[in-house]
Amino acid sequence: MPHSVLLLDVHETSVSAELELPVGDFSRASGIELDETTKAELPARTSAIRTYLAAHLHPATVKGKAWAVAFGDIALGRAQQTSTGTYRELTVHATLTPPSGGDPRHFLLGYDAIVHQVVTHVALVSVRQDWATGQVSGTGRDTATQVGVIRINTRNMTVPNLTVDLEKGSAWSGTYAMFRLGATHILEGTDHLLFLLILLLPATMRTDQKRWRGTVGARTAVGRIARTTLAFTVGHSLALALSAFGRLDIPAQPVEVFIALSILVGAVHAMRPLFPGHEAVVAGVFGLGHGLAFSLTLAEMNLSRSQLALSLAGFNLGIEAVQLLLVVLALPSLLLLSRLPRRSALRSTCATLTAVAALGWLFDRLGDPNPVARAADSAGSHTSQLLLVLVTTAALSTLWAGVLRRRDRRTTRTCQDTELPAAPVVTAADANSAA
C-alpha cells in the first residue's frame, strides 16, 4: 500500500515540511471524505484537514518543549510509488518553528495522522533541503535523504516520536554546494548557453551594416568575445542580486518567454547584422532577463540573508566558471571558422538551427508544447557528451589553426626565396665608360 512521505527543508530558524498523504488512508483515518472530492471542492474541507493534522503533528525540542506549527497550501493530485500504481495524494505544506533556544537541527517529531488508525501504514521522513550540509538541489522525494520511519509499535500499540538529529554543517558546505548548483544550472540550461554562443558566433566577422562581409583579426575577435561575455556576466549577476535580495516575486513564464526571444534575436543577428558593434550592450541587457531566470532557483530556497549572500556568491561563481570554460573551449573553433572558405554557410546553418530551437521554446513557453522544445531541452541532460564535443572540437581547431599558420609561413618563405634579384643601378660614369 502507498505510504506517507514527510519532506523537510531545514532553514536557519525553522523547518518547512511537505506532507504527501495517500487520500484513501487519510480519509479512513480522519473521517474527512476526500476520495470523490474534486480540486474545486477541496477548499470547503481545508479547515477540517488543518484541524485534524494540527492534532496529530507535534514537533518539540529534545527536552519536550512544543514547537509552533502553521499550515499553508493544500492540494490534491496523483502520485505513484514503487509497485503501488497510481493513486490520489493529498499534499499539505506546513512551517515548524522552534521556541526561543530551540534547534531546528535537533528535535523530536511526533506524527501519527494516519498510522494511529491504519496500523499497517508507515511515514517516511526525509530531508529534501539542508543548506548547511550542502544539500540544496533536491526538489522531490527521489533526491531527498531519509532520516527515519514513523510506524506503530506493535508491542504497546503506540507511535513513538522520531528523533531528528542532523549534523552541524557549515557556511562553507552551503557556499560550495551553491557553486556546484550554479555550475550545473548553466550546463543544463541549454537556452542560456545557446544565447551566449550564438551572440559570439559573428564576433570574428566584419560588417558593412547590412551584411557580414570578411573577417577581423584574431586580436579584435578575442576582444569582442571578451567584452560580450563580460557584459552578459554583469547583466545576469546584477539581476540575480537585485531579485534575490529584493525578494521580488517574479512570474516564471514571462522570464522564460523573454529568454526564448533573446535567443531568436541573437540567431537573426548571426545571419544578418541587427546591432553590429553593440553586441556587448545587447548581451548585458538580455543578461538581465537570464539573471531573473537564475534567481527563480534561489527564491525557492527560502534562505536567510546571510545564507543568501553566500549562496549568491557561490552560485554566481559556479555560473561564471563554467561559462568561462565553455567560451575558452569555443574560442578556437570561432577563430578557425573565420578562415574557412564556407564560413558563411556554416554560420547561417548554426544560426538557423538556433532560431528553430528558439521558436520551439517560445511556443512551448506560451503554452504550446512541441517536439522541437523537448529535443532542445534534452540536450541539457547530456552535459558530458557536450563537454566532450567541445573539448574535441577545440583540440582539432587548435591543431588545424597551427597547420594553417605553418603553411602560411612556408608560403611566405617560398615567395621570398623566389623573388627576382633587384635591377642594378647604372650611374653616369658607368654609362660613359660603357660608351
Side-chain angles (χ1 to χ4, degrees):
M1 298 298 293
H3 51 258
S4 295
V5 176
L6 277 69
L7 298 174
L8 306 180
D9 296 335
V10 182
H11 308 300
E12 206 167 32
T13 58
S14 65
V15 175
S16 298
E18 180 178 300
L19 285 67
E20 299 177 351
L21 314 172
V23 164
D25 285 348
F26 180 82
S27 295
R28 281 190 289 274
S30 65
I32 303 172
E33 180 54 48
L34 294 176
D35 290 296
E36 303 299 327
T37 300
T38 65
K39 294 180 180 180
E41 297 169 340
L42 182 62
R45 293 170 172 76
T46 55
S47 179
I49 293 171
R50 287 171 178 153
T51 301
Y52 174 78
L53 289 176
H56 294 277
L57 178 60
H58 301 291
T61 65
V62 291
K63 294 183 178 180
K65 192 172 183 181
W67 286 25
V69 179
F71 291 98
D73 296 336
I74 298 177
L76 280 173
R78 291 193 175 276
Q80 182 171 351
Q81 294 170 359
T82 304
S83 302
T84 62
T86 303
Y87 61 94
R88 299 193 77 194
E89 183 177 71
L90 178 68
T91 302
V92 182
H93 292 88
T95 301
L96 318 179
T97 306
S100 178
D103 186 355
R105 309 192 64 79
H106 306 280
F107 60 96
L108 302 177
L109 181 61
Y111 173 79
D112 63 352
I114 295 177
V115 68
H116 77 295
Q117 291 291 335
V118 184
V119 296
T120 57
H121 193 81
V122 297
L124 306 184
V125 182
S126 301
V127 173
R128 177 174 56 184
Q129 177 188 314
D130 185 2
W131 186 90
T133 59
Q135 189 171 345
V136 297
S137 57
T139 57
R141 65 178 71 172
D142 294 336
T143 56
T145 302
Q146 186 172 314
V147 295
V149 179
I150 295 176
R151 55 165 51 95
I152 198 166
N153 185 335
T154 54
R155 293 181 178 180
N156 54 23
M157 300 304 290
T158 61
V159 182
N161 293 335
L162 174 67
T163 300
V164 178
D165 189 8
L166 305 178
E167 58 181 288
K168 186 176 181 181
S170 66
W172 163 249
S173 297
T175 305
Y176 178 63
M178 293 304 298
F179 175 88
R180 289 188 287 107
L181 183 61
T184 303
H185 197 70
I186 193 70
L187 271 177
E188 295 178 351
T190 316
D191 48 358
H192 302 293
L193 287 179
L194 204 54
F195 170 73
L196 180 60
L197 293 177
I198 198 62
L199 210 57
L200 297 179
L201 186 60
T204 60
M205 306 300 295
R206 193 187 306 276
T207 178
D208 61 2
Q209 301 300 319
K210 293 183 179 180
R211 290 181 180 274
W212 297 110
R213 296 185 184 276
T215 59
V216 298
R219 181 174 296 181
T220 303
V222 171
R224 287 180 179 178
I225 291 172
R227 287 192 297 272
T228 302
T229 304
L230 179 61
F232 183 67
T233 297
V234 171
H236 73 65
S237 298
L238 181 62
L240 186 58
L242 289 176
S243 59
F245 284 108
R247 304 285 185 179
L248 301 180
D249 187 11
I250 304 169
Q253 186 187 29
V255 173
E256 298 297 337
V257 169
F258 177 82
I259 291 173
L261 284 173
S262 72
I263 299 169
L264 183 60
V265 170
V268 174
H269 175 68
M271 289 185 274
R272 290 289 182 89
L274 299 178
F275 36 84
H278 301 289
E279 288 84 359
V281 176
V282 174
V285 173
F286 282 142
L288 294 171
H290 288 250
L292 293 177
F294 294 143
S295 71
L296 298 175
T297 302
L298 292 180
E300 297 172 351
M301 294 185 179
N302 193 25
L303 302 172
S304 66
R305 294 192 73 85
S306 60
Q307 291 176 339
L308 185 59
L310 293 172
S311 297
L312 187 63
F315 193 70
N316 245 331
L317 287 173
I319 290 174
E320 305 322 325
V322 174
Q323 185 174 280
L324 181 60
L325 171 64
L326 295 174
V327 170
V328 169
L329 290 176
L331 184 59
S333 301
L334 292 172
L335 294 177
L336 179 63
L337 178 63
S338 65
R339 302 192 61 179
L340 296 177
R342 295 188 176 275
R343 56 181 176 270
S344 296
L346 288 171
R347 175 172 44 79
S348 298
T349 301
C350 293
T352 301
L353 292 175
T354 301
V356 170
L359 286 171
W361 277 320
L362 182 60
F363 286 115
D364 179 70
R365 293 165 185 182
L366 288 173
D368 183 17
N370 56 85
V372 174
R374 288 193 294 271
D377 286 330
S378 67
S381 61
H382 300 87
T383 54
S384 299
Q385 293 89 327
L386 172 64
L387 287 175
L388 180 61
V389 169
L390 283 174
V391 169
T392 304
T393 305
L396 292 176
S397 299
T398 303
L399 290 174
W400 184 244
V403 170
L404 291 177
R405 280 196 298 270
R406 285 195 295 272
R407 188 180 67 183
D408 291 344
R409 284 197 293 266
R410 285 198 300 268
T411 302
T412 302
R413 284 198 298 268
T414 302
C415 292
Q416 291 173 347
D417 293 341
T418 58
E419 284 183 354
L420 294 174
V425 179
V426 181
T427 63
D430 293 336
N432 290 333
S433 175

